[in-house]
Amino acid sequence: MDEATRQSVIGSLCRQYPWLQVRPIGKSILGRELPALYIPTLPGTPSFHRPLLLTGAFHGMEWITASLLLRFTQTLCTMRQEGKYPFCRGCTVIPCVNPDGVEIQIHGSDAAGNLCAFVEKISGGDTLHWQANARGVDLNHNFDAKWHRLKKMEQEAGITRPAMTRFGGRAPESEPESRALAWFCRKNPFAMAVALHSQGEEIYYDFGHITPKHSLLLAESMAQVSGYRVASPTGLASYGGFKDWFLLHFRRPAFTIEVGKGENPLPVRDFFPIYDKVEAMLFTLLAAEE
């Protein structure tokens, strides 16, 4: 799902559900907005539950996760409009953390604007496997969660400069996209956070000894309704991610869900089978006690 389609879907949701709250949390390097959509609980619902945060499309090739989150947003909005919203917590959705990377992956280096030549150079003219933002930084390696350990691992692996994937930047939150998301989390007391990625049908829930005790129980509950596997990331995926940062700084549950199976970008024909499992997992978290 490219930017034009996302904007069209969000605009349609706003017209259909005027109570849906939409506001940008910041902008990408190339000036594309990062909208957050908030679905409140029904009037009269106890408000002591903090909202759930859902995020997607950290990586260019994983744009299907933005489509999944917008579909889920529509589902929640329909339930609320019909007075059937069964949850005591609201939900904030940031469907696309990396809009520049998604545009580059879908439309090629021309989508990088004044960074077109830079993207063309580091991609070799082939952006099919582009994951990073427009500056060649992997946003899910750019958060302050043992980032210096990650940087040492990158250097040992020969990753020392901007690239299509896996380069974590020159410093934590060096990129406007990761900085905006971190700022937004600091300003809002979310109960839990989820980052949708693809692929593998796995659920990551931990970050060492600081992991909340009930995080494993929640992960296992999601696995039960989806058939996904509870796992732990390895290698360069072990540090510097958004899930890791949220756990480390707020000591509240956070999850990376690797949706679907196959090769990125996952084919559109897989959308609805993937969505059914994602919906079941996210409903599980919305219904969970803090």
Side-chain angles (χ1 to χ4, degrees), residues 7-243:
Q7 289 180 348
S8 176
V9 171
I10 292 171
S12 177
L13 289 171
C14 289
R15 289 188 295 272
Q16 191 172 359
Y17 309 106
W19 41 261
L20 178 65
Q21 302 171 28
V22 181
R23 59 172 173 145
I25 67 168
K27 292 185 177 181
S28 70
I29 290 169
L30 296 176
R32 295 183 172 99
E33 286 192 344
L34 310 175
L37 296 76
Y38 176 63
I39 305 100
T41 59
L42 288 168
T45 303
S47 59
F48 51 83
H49 289 290
R50 293 173 293 189
L52 173 67
L53 175 65
L54 306 177
T55 60
F58 285 79
H59 293 141
M61 280 199 297
E62 300 174 15
W63 46 261
I64 196 171
T65 58
S67 303
L68 292 165
L69 288 177
L70 286 176
R71 174 77 178 193
F72 187 69
T73 300
Q74 184 178 34
T75 298
L76 293 184
C77 285
T78 300
M79 294 169 71
R80 189 187 185 280
Q81 188 85 337
E82 295 175 352
K84 299 176 181 178
Y85 191 90
F87 309 112
C88 290
R89 72 171 81 253
C91 184
T92 295
V93 181
I94 302 174
C96 187
V97 175
N98 184 12
D100 294 346
V102 168
E103 291 299 294
I104 290 167
Q105 196 281 324
I106 294 175
H107 297 297
S109 57
D110 286 347
N114 63 344
L115 292 174
C116 174
F118 170 79
V119 168
E120 187 79 11
K121 179 180 179 181
I122 65 175
S123 69
D126 181 5
T127 61
L128 177 64
H129 299 103
W130 189 273
Q131 293 280 68
N133 70 353
R135 201 148 54 189
V137 174
D138 189 320
L139 295 178
N140 208 43
H141 286 200
N142 193 232
F143 289 88
D144 191 10
K146 298 187 179 180
W147 182 89
H148 293 287
R149 184 177 297 183
L150 172 65
K151 182 54 58 177
K152 182 179 179 181
M153 293 171 66
E154 286 180 2
Q155 292 169 348
E156 291 171 349
I159 304 167
T160 59
R161 59 176 63 88
M164 290 199 295
T165 185
R166 300 199 301 169
F167 176 69
R170 303 299 181 190
E173 295 180 32
S174 62
E175 306 309 295
E177 300 93 345
S178 52
R179 195 160 55 245
L181 180 54
W183 169 85
F184 188 63
C185 291
R186 293 183 183 111
K187 290 287 186 179
N188 295 277
F190 295 110
M192 294 175 275
V194 175
L196 292 191
H197 288 260
S198 64
Q199 47 74 42
E201 295 193 346
E202 293 185 328
I203 302 166
Y204 304 145
Y205 74 96
D206 65 329
F207 193 64
H209 69 279
I210 56 90
T211 307
K213 292 182 179 179
H214 59 302
S215 289
L216 176 57
L217 179 61
L218 290 169
E220 289 175 339
S221 297
M222 287 192 286
Q224 186 173 10
V225 300
S226 65
Y228 280 29
R229 184 173 72 96
V230 177
S232 295
T234 59
L236 291 173
S238 301
Y239 310 109
F242 171 65
K243 178 267 292 179

